[in-house]
């Protein structure tokens, strides 16, 4: 499931994040964090994790996604890989087709994270740069994603994906992975659809016996499928 999440960050948070990513922010070669196959495809810049800016930004992004109920329902997060930050511009413009490693070691939390879900939070407006689209191959073909600053996209960690070359301006984004309580994308999708439709049923008809019973079905499925 590919899911766009509008306004994950408030405009103030986008401004704070942008301030930390400009000026003398410590950008390094993105290849330092890419594994085997990915390293040959990657030409971008990444914010050094050994910086105060990175630590502040990580806290900002994690707080934002943790307060969002739709994010929670879609991702059912168990562990987070600490958010990273990247920049694409004409000098370091793209990240060709690749798959992310299945398990990655997070420097911030010192634990291994299975990359069930990938998340990108856009930090530049689409009009600020040309190119720089996120292309995700999924069951229904290739999806092209380029969202306003503060919006996020979730997609399965199993997907081949790429960032197309930036030919003008700078594309700033945060990206990270989530290990979900529910490993399989198909099961997460069923749970998400059930949860979102229950929400709408309740808005329309209130707390009916049917809504209560279906909520029980949701939780009993989650109980069967979740690893905590
Ligand atoms: Ni990737």
């Amino acid at each position: 499931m590919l899911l766009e999440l509008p306004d994950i960050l408030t405009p103030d948070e986008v401004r704070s994040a942008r301030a930390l990513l400009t000026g003398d922010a410590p950008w390094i070669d993105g290849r330092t964090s890419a594994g085997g196959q990915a390293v040959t495809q990657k030409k971008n810049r990444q914010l050094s994790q050994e910086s105060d800016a990175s630590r502040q930004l990580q806290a900002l992004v994690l707080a934002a996604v943790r307060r969002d109920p739709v994010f929670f329902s879609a991702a059912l997060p168990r562990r987070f890989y600490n958010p990273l930050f990247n920049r694409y511009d004409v000098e370091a413009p793209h990240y060709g087709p690749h798959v992310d490693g299945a398990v990655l070691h997070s420097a911030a939390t010192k634990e291994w994270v299975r990359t069930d879900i990938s998340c990108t939070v856009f930090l530049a407006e689409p009009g600020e740069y040309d190119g720089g689209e996120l292309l995700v191959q999924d069951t229904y073909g290739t999806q092209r994603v380029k969202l306003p600053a503060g919006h996020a996209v979730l997609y399965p960690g199993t997907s081949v994906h790429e960032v197309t070359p930036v030919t003008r301006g700078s594309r700033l984004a945060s990206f990270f992975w989530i290990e979900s309580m529910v490993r399989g994308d198909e099961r997460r999708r069923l749970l998400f659809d059930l949860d979102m439709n229950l929400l709408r049923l309740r808005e329309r008809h209130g707390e009916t016996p049917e809504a209560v019973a279906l909520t029980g079905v949701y939780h009993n499925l989650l109980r069967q499928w979740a690893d905590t």
Side-chain angles (χ1 to χ4, degrees):
M1 164 173 72
L2 186 143
L3 184 72
E4 293 180 5
L5 297 167
D7 301 318
I8 277 281
L9 300 182
T10 65
D12 274 352
E13 286 170 331
V14 172
R15 271 192 288 280
S16 306
R18 295 278 301 238
L20 288 164
L21 290 171
T22 48
D24 56 358
W27 293 103
I28 57 173
D29 189 328
R31 275 172 294 194
T32 51
S33 69
Q37 182 261 334
V39 74
T40 61
Q41 301 286 344
K42 194 173 187 183
K43 195 165 189 325
N44 68 357
R45 290 195 179 86
Q46 203 157 296
L47 190 69
S48 166
Q49 291 193 63
E50 311 297 320
S51 64
D52 277 345
S54 169
R55 280 182 280 273
Q56 288 179 55
L57 284 158
Q58 284 175 8
L60 184 148
V61 169
L62 284 177
V65 295
R66 282 188 170 129
R67 71 177 177 231
D68 191 279
V70 181
F71 175 91
F72 183 86
S73 179
L76 297 167
R78 180 191 191 191
R79 282 197 192 108
F80 288 91
Y81 187 100
N82 55 272
L84 299 171
F85 299 85
N86 59 19
R87 189 178 96 193
Y88 295 82
D89 50 34
V90 281
E91 282 95 45
H94 74 281
Y95 196 165
H98 67 281
V99 280
D100 298 332
V103 279
L104 298 174
H105 192 260
S106 166
T109 60
K110 311 264 188 297
E111 55 184 6
W112 290 92
V113 178
R114 194 183 62 228
T115 58
D116 296 325
I117 303 167
S118 298
C119 182
T120 296
V121 182
F122 290 80
L123 296 172
E125 296 296 347
E128 290 182 86
Y129 58 98
D130 291 333
E133 287 179 293
L134 173 66
L135 265 49
V136 181
Q137 292 175 21
D138 80 0
T139 340
Y140 304 109
T142 299
Q143 312 286 319
R144 308 179 81 90
V145 187
K146 185 169 179 175
L147 299 176
H151 293 211
V153 63
L154 295 177
Y155 58 95
T158 48
S159 319
V160 173
H161 57 281
E162 67 181 289
V163 175
T164 63
V166 168
T167 54
R168 177 189 64 88
S170 291
R171 177 197 193 268
L172 295 167
S174 173
F175 65 103
F176 59 96
W177 297 272
I178 302 126
E179 179 175 319
S180 178
M181 289 188 277
V182 176
R183 181 188 291 230
D185 182 54
E186 218 170 294
R187 287 180 173 182
R188 283 195 306 273
R189 165 108 230 186
L190 287 171
L191 288 168
F192 180 68
D193 284 345
L194 189 51
D195 193 25
M196 289 297 107
N197 282 291
L198 268 166
L199 203 68
R200 285 174 212 127
L201 264 185
R202 268 208 189 80
E203 279 168 10
R204 195 178 291 186
H205 302 290
E207 192 70 50
T208 60
E210 291 82 4
V212 173
L214 286 172
T215 303
V217 173
Y218 172 84
H219 282 287
N220 290 331
L221 282 174
L222 184 56
R223 210 184 318 276
Q224 287 203 29
W225 291 342
D227 290 311
T228 55

